[in-house]
Amino acid sequence: MTSGWHSTSFFILKHFVYPHLLPKVPFLGTATRFQIIATTLYLTANVLFVALPKASWTEAGARAATMSIINFIPLLCGPRISLLTKVLGISLQSSLGSHRWIGRATIALAMLHMVVSLKEGGRFAWTSSSVSGVVASSALGFIFILSIRFMRSLLYESFLNSHIILAVATLVAIWYHIPEKKAATLFLQFGICLWVAMSTIHWCLFVFRNFVFGRAFATAVVKPLSNQGMTSEIDPEEVMQVDITIPRPWRVRAGQHIFLSIPKLGILRGLRGHPFVITWWDRDITGLTVTLLIKSRTGFTRELRRHVNKPLRAFVDGPFGIRHNFGDYGTVVMVATGIGIAGHIPYLKELISGYNSCEIITRRILLIWKTQRECQHQWVKQWMDQILQFDTGLILEISLHPQEYGKKGLAYGTHDKLNKSFAPLDVEWLLQKELSARRGRIIVSRKPPAPPATSRPPASVLISKYAPRPQ
Ligand SMILES: Cc1cc2nc3c(=O)[nH]c(=O)nc-3n(C[C@H](O)[C@H](O)[C@H](O)COP(=O)(O)OP(=O)(O)OC[C@H]3O[C@@H](n4cnc5c(N)ncnc54)[C@H](O)[C@@H]3O)c2cc1C
């Protein structure tokens, strides 16, 4: 690529994509300049379509209804948002962010239509059109209330189930609400076709992945990793390793995640797919085994803990996720917190292997990992040992930052580029140091801390910050 292109992309990333306008507020989050500009443009376009050319309230209400249905169309593409994300090649975080804002605009426009109809319409008539209008507005209202971050975090499983039921109820109600021969009917039909198409593709892929003639279904085996007596420290977090044998293998790449269902864990809880990053994988003549690193929380993952060391029938949906080409950068800096390490291990595996086979230009990798306790390093010890053994060029440096430490240290491999620091983690200083000595272009990849039960889900396990500079 030309240096002109690098300068332009560097300028856009530096001034628009990365800077956050406000500090992160709990339950409200934060937004970058780019997100604010894009959202403002999108909302302004909606307002202009309703307001221009100048019209009566009745006309504006009708336009709001049509715009609401037009906005509804992209929301119907997401029976599995990860699939849409994969098709469009965008990050899960962008996909979820767009879904939320389009959803809010759809609801706001529908509410405007409802208010205008109430204002203009006089007495309520018990016709199928009016009743279905009330049902659609109520369903949208419930979707809005249950989607508020606080509610979502509190009742995540119920939120997901109710979201789908309410969306279908809205769709059916709108179908009965709008008069035939209106342009809105065409938009709605288009949306329904899109939803049917995406759902069909999704379920076909699911069947293809899980049902193989003459082979057993996927099997998951759960192994506890925390508090296994390796150190005297007590690990406050329960982390498990889940090995899954896959009936129909694929080429696993770093950055992929799957949705795991285990029917034995309950009809609603076990059958609903839960997303997890593929942390490790082994492929041999017997087939493919993928490994997940799972932190126990309060639902599916807590139930999983009760079934350790037993083979469990599982269903796998995926793989999803977009891959970042870290191998195109001279220096790769990875920053992980707690269970976030799960998303970095596959990239380390691929980068070291790519370096050994001279397929990438990366010459230095710095992994900075902050944990609560020192004993948590054992979650990934088996993989770190393998990666370090494989690192013949000594390109990997690991900087471990436990906030508290126990009596016994737990070292990985015999690598001399392993630093353990009990001082508070100063990422800025570490990055400055890396930038001053960097080799080639540098990329910094970070993973937000794993969500506690009351915070929002990680939109994407690996969020990458590209910082290309003109060379
Ligand atoms: C792309 C992606 C990759 C992930 N990778 C990992 C990983 O490698 N290791 C790991 O420990 N965790 C990972 N997570 C988080 C993990 O999916 C949730 O912690 C898990 O589903 C919680 O299940 P639970 O029923 O025990 O949650 P609950 O205890 O019921 O809820 C805890 C919190 O988990 C989140 N959550 C619950 N269900 C889901 C769901 N179906 N989809 C998304 N978030 C949910 C919500 O924020 C909720 O507040 C990942 C999430 C995403 C989106």
Side-chain angles (χ1 to χ4, degrees):
M1 281 188 211
T2 63
S3 77
W5 163 249
H6 277 313
S7 310
T8 316
S9 64
F10 178 67
F11 180 84
I12 294 173
L13 292 172
K14 185 176 174 194
H15 294 286
F16 297 101
V17 178
Y18 294 152
H20 286 241
L21 266 193
L22 302 164
K24 193 167 181 173
V25 182
F27 291 112
L28 286 179
T30 178
T32 63
R33 285 180 193 164
F34 175 76
Q35 286 165 336
I36 288 176
I37 293 171
T39 311
T40 310
L41 285 177
Y42 164 69
L43 294 178
T44 311
N46 271 289
V47 171
L48 292 180
F49 275 118
V50 173
L52 296 179
K54 206 165 178 286
S56 64
W57 272 110
T58 317
E59 178 58 25
R63 283 185 204 160
T66 309
M67 283 307 291
S68 177
I69 291 173
I70 293 174
N71 278 287
F72 201 35
I73 296 173
L75 302 178
L76 296 170
C77 297
R80 181 62 94 207
I81 286 189
S82 289
L83 178 62
L84 181 71
T85 305
K86 190 175 168 178
V87 172
L88 297 179
I90 55 173
S91 73
L92 188 58
Q93 202 180 32
S94 311
S95 200
L96 285 170
S98 317
H99 188 88
R100 283 184 200 127
W101 275 106
I102 297 173
R104 283 168 197 153
T106 305
I107 295 174
L109 289 161
M111 292 305 148
L112 176 64
H113 169 70
M114 189 190 75
V115 170
V116 172
S117 308
L118 288 178
K119 191 169 162 275
E120 307 276 299
R123 267 175 71 89
F124 181 78
W126 285 93
T127 59
S128 85
S129 172
S130 309
V131 172
S132 51
V134 172
V135 172
S137 318
S138 314
L140 285 172
F142 276 119
I143 289 183
F144 179 75
I145 293 168
L146 292 171
S147 304
I148 295 171
R149 185 172 287 183
F150 175 71
M151 300 293 286
R152 214 169 56 211
S153 307
L154 209 64
L155 308 158
Y156 200 79
E157 295 277 329
S158 318
F159 155 73
L160 287 180
N161 294 329
S162 63
H163 199 74
I164 295 166
I165 294 168
L166 289 168
V168 173
T170 309
L171 202 60
V172 175
I174 294 178
W175 181 261
Y176 284 105
H177 180 65
I178 46 180
E180 276 176 44
K181 293 186 194 150
K182 274 225 162 187
T185 319
L186 274 180
F187 292 127
L188 194 65
Q189 282 167 351
F190 179 64
I192 293 172
C193 290
L194 212 58
W195 184 72
V196 171
M198 288 302 280
S199 301
T200 310
I201 294 172
H202 172 225
W203 286 110
C204 286
L205 290 174
F206 181 83
V207 169
F208 176 76
R209 180 67 58 220
N210 289 282
F211 298 85
V212 183
F213 190 68
R215 281 201 216 156
F217 288 116
T219 309
V221 178
V222 184
K223 294 177 194 155
L225 290 176
S226 307
N227 302 315
Q228 294 305 297
M230 304 271 287
T231 71
S232 52
E233 254 186 314
I234 302 287
D235 188 345
E237 293 177 1
E238 286 288 342
V239 170
M240 301 158 281
Q241 171 185 335
V242 179
D243 297 320
I244 308 164
T245 49
I246 304 288
R248 193 184 297 276
W250 71 90
R251 187 173 174 216
V252 182
R253 307 299 305 262
Q256 290 183 344
H257 65 268
I258 54 167
F259 283 76
L260 175 67
S261 317
I262 300 183
K264 183 124 199 240
L265 306 192
I267 294 291
L268 277 182
R269 192 171 273 176
L271 278 182
R272 163 168 292 290
H274 284 75
F276 299 101
V277 169
I278 298 174
T279 304
W280 198 259
W281 60 98
D282 285 303
R283 196 170 177 169
D284 54 26
I285 43 162
T286 58
L288 170 71
T289 305
V290 297
T291 302
L292 315 175
L293 193 67
I294 299 184
K295 180 174 147 183
S296 178
R297 292 191 171 91
T298 58
F300 175 86
T301 50
R302 190 178 61 183
E303 198 55 36
L304 206 56
R305 237 171 58 198
R306 303 209 182 123
H307 297 269
V308 291
N309 298 323
K310 284 183 234 159
L312 301 165
R313 176 174 297 176
F315 293 100
V316 167
D317 190 7
F320 301 108
I322 50 168
R323 197 169 161 272
H324 302 287
N325 284 328
F326 291 170
D328 292 347
Y329 293 79
T331 304
V332 178
V333 179
M334 299 179 175
V335 187
T337 315
I339 193 72
I341 192 71
H344 291 280
I345 300 278
Y347 280 101
L348 289 178
K349 182 181 182 179
E350 268 194 8
L351 284 172
I352 300 290
S353 150
Y355 174 84
N356 288 347
S357 54
C358 305
E359 286 168 8
I360 58 168
I361 61 164
T362 306
R363 293 294 172 264
R364 174 164 166 75
I365 309 165
L366 171 64
L367 169 70
I368 304 167
W369 185 25
K370 183 177 163 187
T371 54
Q372 211 176 332
R373 298 269 167 93
E374 195 182 6
C375 63
Q376 293 175 336
H377 298 159
Q378 76 193 27
W379 298 344
V380 293
K381 180 169 162 50
Q382 50 176 326
W383 302 310
M384 282 298 190
D385 283 348
Q386 285 189 51
I387 288 170
L388 289 172
Q389 200 180 10
F390 206 37
D391 179 21
T392 48
L394 298 184
I395 61 166
L396 172 63
E397 182 172 336
I398 303 175
S399 194
L400 299 169
H401 298 266
Q403 287 172 298
E404 298 165 33
Y405 57 96
K407 288 179 190 131
K408 274 190 206 163
L410 187 93
Y412 298 138
T414 52
H415 210 292
D416 61 355
K417 283 196 174 180
L418 188 81
N419 310 315
K420 210 174 261 193
S421 162
F422 297 101
L425 171 60
D426 186 350
V427 177
E428 214 174 312
W429 179 78
L430 281 168
L431 288 182
Q432 283 300 342
K433 203 173 97 188
E434 213 50 46
L435 279 168
S436 55
R438 75 192 151 95
R439 298 178 194 180
R441 290 192 298 142
I442 185 166
I443 183 166
V444 180
S445 148
R446 69 164 175 89
K447 153 73 184 75
T454 49
S455 81
R456 71 192 181 103
S460 156
V461 153
L462 198 77
I463 299 170
S464 299
K465 287 195 160 187
Y466 292 86
R469 280 167 178 275
Q471 281 180 311

